[in-house]
């Protein structure tokens, strides 16, 4: 199935640049997640410790940890993630009115996505601030707006569910969620799409071909 799409970017000078992409969609999706895994390996964003598992924020122990913040330091990887998340939103949630990032891992990438799409942006804290305005949602949402949530990763889905609940409580509709990947079974509380499905499998395949950058 051949698919064409357009992504419009508003450059600083005010000029709108349209990126037109055509691909064999099914084959493309099979390759995209492996390409992404290779990019993460190249910038050493993925850490493997089978003998000394990492403890995730969810409390789970895992032999793998992905530091997505590292990708922000590499323009090529950062832009790749931004463009692909934009593609997911344009193809699946075309009526989106606003973008919401989930603190803290998806704050920066969510802002990049919202900027590329020319949409309002907010981010959702895990808990309200304990000082100042004590906001849970930073930024302004209008009741009735259709919002797409941007996550960096979804594990158990705990932070995702909290963010979705907070946005709905503000009177908005959460039409969907996009994330870089999920490491295991998850709940999102709404329709969700990932750049990588089956992270461990894809990393295994990519690791065969991609040398990891020494630390």
């Amino acid at each position: 199935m051949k698919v064409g799409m357009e992504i419009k970017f508003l450059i600083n000078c005010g000029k709108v640049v349209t990126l037109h992409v055509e691909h064999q969609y099914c084959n493309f999706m099979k390759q995209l997640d492996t390409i992404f895994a290779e990019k993460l390996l190249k910038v050493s964003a993925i850490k493997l410790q089978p003998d000394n598992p990492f403890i995730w924020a969810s409390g789970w122990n895992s032999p793998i940890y992905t530091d997505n913040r590292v990708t922000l330091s590499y323009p090529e990887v950062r832009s790749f993630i931004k463009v692909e998340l934009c593609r997911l939103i344009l193809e699946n949630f075309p009526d989106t009115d606003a973008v919401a990032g989930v603190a803290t891992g998806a704050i920066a990438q969510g802002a990049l996505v919202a900027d590329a799409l020319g949409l309002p942006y907010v981010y959702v804290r895990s808990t309200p601030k304990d000082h100042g305005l004590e906001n849970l949602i930073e930024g302004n949402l209008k009741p009735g707006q259709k919002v797409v949530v941007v996550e960096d990763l979804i594990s158990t889905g705990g932070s995702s569910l909290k963010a979705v609940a907070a946005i709905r409580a503000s009177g908005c509709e959460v039409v969907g969620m996009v994330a870089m990947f999920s490491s295991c079974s998850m709940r999102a509380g709404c329709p969700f799409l990932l750049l990588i499905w089956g992270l461990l499998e894809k990393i295994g395949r990519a690791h065969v071909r991609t040398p990891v950058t020494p630390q």
Side-chain angles (χ1 to χ4, degrees):
M1 178 176 64
K2 194 170 185 178
V3 175
M5 70 171 192
E6 292 184 346
I7 299 179
K8 293 184 178 180
F9 294 93
L10 183 62
I11 309 303
N12 290 337
C13 63
K15 181 180 179 181
V16 175
V17 176
T18 300
L19 172 65
H20 185 73
V21 180
E22 286 191 352
H23 49 256
Q24 295 292 338
Y25 188 73
C26 294
N27 291 335
F28 173 78
M29 288 308 298
K30 289 178 181 178
Q31 297 173 6
L32 173 63
D33 47 13
T34 301
I35 292 171
F36 186 25
E38 289 175 351
K39 290 181 180 294
L40 292 174
L41 284 167
K42 284 181 179 179
V43 299
S44 296
I46 296 174
K47 311 295 182 184
L48 299 173
Q49 289 185 186
D51 298 326
N52 183 26
F54 297 99
I55 301 176
W56 290 349
S58 61
W60 287 24
N61 291 336
S62 172
I64 183 171
Y65 182 82
T66 304
D67 186 358
N68 293 313
R69 295 168 182 81
V70 169
T71 64
L72 297 170
S73 299
Y74 298 87
E76 179 191 355
V77 181
R78 182 179 68 214
S79 295
F80 175 87
I81 295 170
K82 174 186 68 177
V83 169
E84 291 304 326
L85 290 176
C86 285
R87 178 185 59 77
L88 289 179
I89 294 173
L90 289 173
E91 289 183 349
N92 297 277
F93 312 114
D95 297 328
T96 301
D97 298 317
V99 174
V102 179
T104 60
I107 291 178
Q109 195 57 247
L112 290 170
V113 168
D115 186 60
L117 295 175
L119 293 174
Y121 177 68
V122 303
Y123 70 85
V124 186
R125 296 176 175 274
S126 56
T127 57
K129 287 173 62 176
D130 59 3
H131 60 280
L133 298 177
E134 300 181 349
N135 290 333
L136 178 59
I137 298 177
E138 297 290 0
N140 295 322
L141 288 175
K142 298 178 181 179
Q145 282 185 314
K146 296 180 179 179
V147 181
V148 165
V149 176
V150 175
E151 266 278 26
D152 58 339
L153 64 90
I154 304 174
S155 55
T156 62
S159 62
S160 305
L161 289 170
K162 288 181 181 179
V164 169
I167 294 168
R168 287 174 174 164
S170 72
C172 295
E173 177 187 356
V174 178
V175 294
M177 177 181 296
V178 294
M180 297 183 198
F181 59 85
S182 171
S183 300
C184 55
S185 60
M186 65 281 187
R187 300 166 298 152
C190 63
F192 64 91
L193 296 161
L194 308 173
L195 292 185
I196 293 183
W197 294 86
L199 178 66
L200 289 173
E201 176 187 359
K202 298 306 184 299
I203 288 174
R205 291 179 181 176
H207 196 274
V208 173
R209 302 193 299 270
T210 307
V212 179
T213 303
Q215 294 296 308

